[in-house]
Amino acid sequence: MHLTRLKLTGFKTFVEPTEFLIEPGLTGIVGPNGCGKSNLVEALRWVMGESSFKNMRGSGMDDVIFGGSNERPARNMAEVALTLDNSDRKAPAAFNELDTLEVTRRIEREEGSTYRINGKEVRAKDVQLLFADAATGARSPALVRQGQISEIISAKPQSRRRILEDAAGIAGLHSRRHEAELRLRGAEENLTRLEDVLGEIDGQIEALQRQARQAGRYRSLAADIRRAEAMLALIALHEARAHQAQAEHVLEETVRAVIDQTGIQAEAAKRQAIAAHEIPALREGEAAAAAALVRLKRGLDELEAENRRARQRAEELGKRLAELQTDLARQESIGRDAAESLTRLAGEDATLARESEGAGDNTEAAAEALEEAERALAAAEAEQIAAQAALSDLAARRGALERALREVREREARAKAEHDKLKRDQATLEAISIGAPLDGLRQALAAAEAALRAADAQAAVARTTLAGARERENQMRGPLAEADRKAQRLETEVGTLRKLLAPATGDRWPAIVEAIKVAKGFEVALGAALGDDLDASADTAAPTHWRETGSGEGDPALPAGAEALAQSVKGPSALGRRLAQIGVVTRVEGEKLRALLHPGQILVSREGDVWRWDGFTSAADAPSPAARRLAETNRLDDLQREAIAAREMAEAACKALETVSGEARVAAQAETT
């Protein structure tokens, strides 16, 4: 193999992708100090599998990634790819199919390195062996660094051996030999441990055999216990179902009582609804009548107050009138006195005139008396005029007072009439309570009664429909409950039998009886004929198993009258030859046909009697665990079919009940409406 190309990306100072071609012959790199010449050699060593960061002149392996500068940011990844020419096919067998190999090492900051050869991810050890077979590598003397010549001269013999192995090209073989020695030592240790384990296993085999026999007995006893427990559970189930039936009967009676009470409550609710429907109108009438009564009482109170004021005014006017009448009487008396005075004075004047005619001597005295009389007359006339004016004033005031009194009396009469009318209205209102809206309420009542009669007719039809629907619903609940109880009972028995017949968990080699199906009535016969042989496995890897031994075409036929048990049993083909040599007969025929048996043949009765060809005879006894298991398996199949049929019947009854319940709900809604 020859190195042909080196590609660097982000490795130390080579921040940009850089590719170096290694041509045939001598290739040299010339440059000033610090330009990165030694980084190329370190890149070669790094891609060849160098694992020491100290040899890479760093404080950690992440230092091989470009750390950044003033002008460039740091990189998070470095990758070096080395291309090899493998045209001479000297690479390891795993990579020797291609002419060109590309070895790539990639490192990401704080995540470690990955190696790839031709794009396929490999181990660092694979890369190191690849270069070791080519007499080179990360620490090979072929890569000469500064100061290495002096190290080689002063090296110890062990280090010189390493140099000679590299020069001879056997460094890879040395590594492989070391690895092979480690594997051989590990294999020797494993063999030693295996011998110890085998010794322990040999010591445990006998104990395991005893445990296996105990486990067999335990399984038999456990099956008996499970059977007894199942019987107890079945008895408890029957008792629980009896209690359940009694409770359901009580529940049905309670439901009927609830239905009756519900009908009574519905009727009461209907009457309450009708009464509640009429209450608002009555309350409105009562409120209107109460408002009218309040208005009438308020008007009556106002009229009574006005009447009291009128009476007070009439009393005042009466008192004024009495005073005026007194004044008028007094004025009339004064007028009468004045008239009397005038009459008296007129008589005196006539007397004086007569006297003047008779006696002239008394003329002057008469004249004086006349003047006095005239003055008295003028004064009397003035008094009369004043009295007449006062009388006129009093008469005017009397007329005004009489008119006011008449008005007061008229208003009193009107108030009394209005008061009487209000009394009559109040008595009428109190007599008829709400007389005004009574006619309207009667009409509304008549319409409501007509609507009630129509609604009663519809409700009667709805109640009849509802009663029929509920009767049908109640009639269907019984069959549904019975079908559901039957389905639940069968499903419970199926579940119990499934648990009882379930194979033991962790059983590596299940018994062949698990794979056998036997016709009804032949379970005891099969169990008596095969016995414990049914506990063997059909797996040939099991310690005790059934194995196929051919079709048995040359085997002798059973005696005439014996029916082969194979016709009533379905199971693994390994049992076919054995079952073909077992005949099922009656107890009487068994005694007769026993002498006709060939070697290997067995006669068995359905009751469990056994007659074997070598003379062994066994009377019918209690059925074996295998026979009981087969019988329970058949019973489980029957129960499963019965459970499926019962569940289908229960679902059909449930759907029918849902239909009838829907009709009942519709009828109940119609009755409620």
Side-chain angles (χ1 to χ4, degrees):
M1 292 189 297
H2 301 282
L3 308 181
T4 60
R5 184 173 56 184
L6 178 66
K7 184 177 180 181
L8 302 91
T9 303
F11 185 83
K12 289 197 172 183
T13 58
F14 296 93
V15 60
E16 297 293 340
T18 305
E19 185 175 343
F20 293 93
L21 297 177
I22 304 175
E23 301 292 348
L26 182 63
T27 300
I29 300 174
V30 181
N33 293 335
C35 67
K37 299 186 296 299
S38 59
N39 290 342
L40 294 175
V41 179
E42 291 179 353
L44 286 172
R45 295 176 60 197
W46 187 69
V47 76
M48 289 180 181
E50 178 60 58
S51 59
S52 175
F53 60 85
K54 293 181 180 179
N55 293 335
M56 302 302 296
R57 297 184 300 169
S59 59
M61 192 56 74
D62 289 346
D63 289 344
V64 302
I65 304 174
F66 177 70
S69 63
N70 294 332
E71 298 178 356
R72 291 178 178 270
R75 299 288 294 271
N76 290 326
M77 178 273 297
E79 183 178 89
V80 176
L82 181 62
T83 304
L84 306 177
D85 182 8
N86 189 34
S87 57
D88 53 359
R89 295 293 193 277
K90 292 184 179 180
F95 313 108
N96 205 24
E97 297 178 356
L98 300 176
D99 294 337
T100 302
L101 300 178
E102 185 180 36
V103 181
T104 305
R105 183 175 181 182
R106 180 187 180 95
I107 184 172
E108 294 186 7
R109 197 176 297 278
E110 296 181 358
E111 292 188 4
S113 301
T114 57
Y115 293 86
R116 294 181 182 275
I117 297 179
N118 288 343
K120 181 179 179 181
E121 188 170 348
V122 296
R123 301 175 301 171
K125 188 174 184 179
D126 296 332
V127 175
Q128 293 170 359
L129 287 176
L130 172 65
F131 288 105
D133 291 341
T136 183
R139 298 184 183 180
S140 173
L143 293 178
V144 181
R145 65 182 182 277
Q146 185 177 3
Q148 189 173 0
I149 302 300
S150 60
E151 290 179 2
I152 293 174
I153 293 173
S154 61
K156 295 180 181 179
Q158 186 176 1
S159 300
R160 291 180 181 177
R161 179 182 177 181
R162 169 68 177 170
I163 295 171
L164 295 175
E165 288 177 351
D166 286 340
I170 62 173
L173 296 177
H174 182 71
S175 300
R176 288 185 176 87
R177 185 189 68 180
H178 178 67
E179 184 178 358
E181 289 175 351
L182 293 177
R183 291 180 179 177
L184 286 174
R185 283 196 294 270
E188 290 175 355
E189 293 177 357
N190 291 335
L191 287 174
T192 303
R193 292 181 58 194
L194 181 59
E195 291 177 355
D196 297 337
V197 172
L198 289 175
E200 294 178 358
I201 291 175
D202 291 337
Q204 294 175 358
I205 287 176
E206 185 177 356
L208 291 174
Q209 289 176 349
R210 290 195 302 271
Q211 293 176 6
R213 290 192 293 270
Q214 293 175 358
R217 291 194 297 272
Y218 170 76
R219 287 203 311 178
S220 177
L221 293 175
D224 294 338
I225 292 172
R226 287 197 298 270
R227 176 67 176 176
E229 290 177 348
M231 292 299 296
L232 290 176
L234 185 60
I235 293 171
L237 178 62
H238 286 306
E239 293 178 354
R241 284 177 177 165
H243 292 303
Q244 182 182 3
Q246 184 179 2
E248 288 178 352
H249 179 68
V250 175
L251 177 62
E252 290 177 358
E253 293 180 354
T254 306
V255 169
R256 285 195 293 271
V258 170
I259 291 173
D260 296 338
Q261 294 299 324
T262 303
I264 296 172
Q265 190 271 339
E267 186 67 24
K270 183 179 71 175
R271 292 196 298 270
Q272 181 184 4
I274 294 172
H277 180 71
E278 295 176 353
I279 285 175
L282 296 175
R283 285 179 177 171
E284 290 179 359
E286 180 185 5
L293 181 61
V294 170
R295 287 195 301 272
L296 292 175
K297 287 182 177 180
R298 188 181 298 114
L300 180 61
D301 294 337
E302 292 177 356
L303 290 176
E304 288 178 352
E306 184 68 23
N307 191 13
R308 286 194 297 273
R309 289 194 297 273
R311 287 177 181 176
Q312 292 175 0
R313 181 66 174 168
E315 291 176 356
E316 293 177 358
L317 292 176
K319 292 178 181 179
R320 295 280 303 277
L321 180 60
E323 293 175 358
L324 291 175
Q325 287 177 353
T326 303
D327 293 339
L328 181 60
R330 188 174 62 252
Q331 293 297 331
E332 287 178 352
S333 176
I334 294 173
R336 283 193 302 272
D337 292 339
E340 289 177 357
S341 298
L342 288 176
T343 302
R344 182 174 55 78
L345 290 175
E348 289 178 358
D349 186 19
T351 301
L352 289 175
R354 284 191 303 271
E355 289 178 356
S356 63
E357 289 178 357
D361 296 334
N362 295 325
T363 303
E364 293 179 1
E368 291 177 359
L370 180 59
E371 289 178 0
E372 291 180 0
E374 288 178 354
R375 285 195 297 273
L377 180 59
E381 288 178 353
E383 291 178 1
Q384 183 180 4
I385 291 170
Q388 288 178 350
L391 181 61
S392 298
D393 187 15
L394 290 175
R397 292 180 63 186
R398 180 180 180 181
L401 291 174
E402 288 178 351
R403 285 193 301 273
L405 180 60
R406 284 195 302 272
E407 291 177 358
V408 169
R409 288 177 177 173
E410 289 176 358
R411 290 178 62 185
E412 182 179 2
R414 287 196 302 271
K416 184 177 181 181
E418 186 68 23
H419 181 268
D420 295 338
K421 182 179 179 182
L422 290 176
K423 286 286 187 181
R424 289 193 300 274
D425 291 342
Q426 183 178 1
T428 303
L429 286 173
E430 291 177 353
I432 65 173
S433 180
I434 48 172
L438 185 60
D439 295 336
L441 290 177
R442 285 199 181 100
Q443 295 176 359
L445 178 60
E449 288 176 349
L452 176 60
R453 287 191 294 272
D456 284 338
Q458 296 177 358
V461 175
R463 280 194 295 273
T464 303
T465 305
L466 178 60
R470 284 179 175 170
E471 183 178 0
R472 292 194 301 274
E473 184 178 5
N474 292 331
Q475 291 176 356
M476 296 185 67
R477 286 187 185 276
L480 173 60
E482 182 63 27
D484 193 34
R485 286 195 296 270
K486 182 178 180 181
Q488 290 180 359
R489 176 177 58 81
L490 292 174
E491 289 171 355
T492 303
E493 293 183 5
V494 168
T496 303
L497 284 178
R498 280 180 179 171
K499 291 180 180 179
L500 292 175
L501 298 177
T505 57
D507 195 353
R508 183 175 180 184
W509 294 298
I512 198 169
V513 70
E514 305 287 349
I516 292 177
K517 291 291 184 180
V518 61
K520 285 186 178 180
F522 293 89
E523 301 92 344
V524 177
L526 179 61
L530 296 182
D532 294 338
D533 294 344
L534 291 174
D535 293 334
S537 176
D539 190 352
T540 57
T544 304
H545 61 271
W546 287 87
R547 186 186 297 273
E548 294 187 8
T549 58
S551 61
E553 295 178 356
D555 293 344
L558 291 170
E563 179 185 355
L565 188 58
Q567 298 178 3
S568 303
V569 179
K570 294 181 180 179
S573 58
L575 281 176
R577 191 173 181 183
R578 177 70 178 275
L579 295 175
Q581 294 299 311
I582 300 175
V584 181
V585 296
T586 62
R587 288 185 170 182
V588 177
E589 293 175 346
E591 292 292 340
K592 296 178 181 179
L593 299 177
R594 179 175 58 181
L596 303 178
L597 294 176
H598 295 281
Q601 292 181 344
I602 299 175
L603 294 179
V604 64
S605 67
R606 292 193 180 188
E607 291 79 8
D609 302 288
V610 179
W611 299 274
R612 210 161 62 186
W613 63 277
D614 55 359
F616 176 81
T617 303
S618 175
D621 199 354
S624 64
R628 290 197 298 270
R629 183 177 184 85
L630 293 172
E632 294 297 336
T633 302
N634 290 336
R635 183 166 175 267
L636 175 61
D637 295 337
D638 296 339
L639 287 176
Q640 285 178 343
R641 289 191 294 271
E642 292 178 4
I644 293 173
R647 180 52 62 188
E648 291 177 353
M649 291 179 61
E651 291 178 355
C654 183
K655 291 181 181 178
L657 179 61
E658 289 179 356
T659 303
V660 175
S661 298
E663 295 176 357
R665 286 193 296 272
V666 173
Q669 183 63 33
E671 192 222 359
T672 303
T673 304

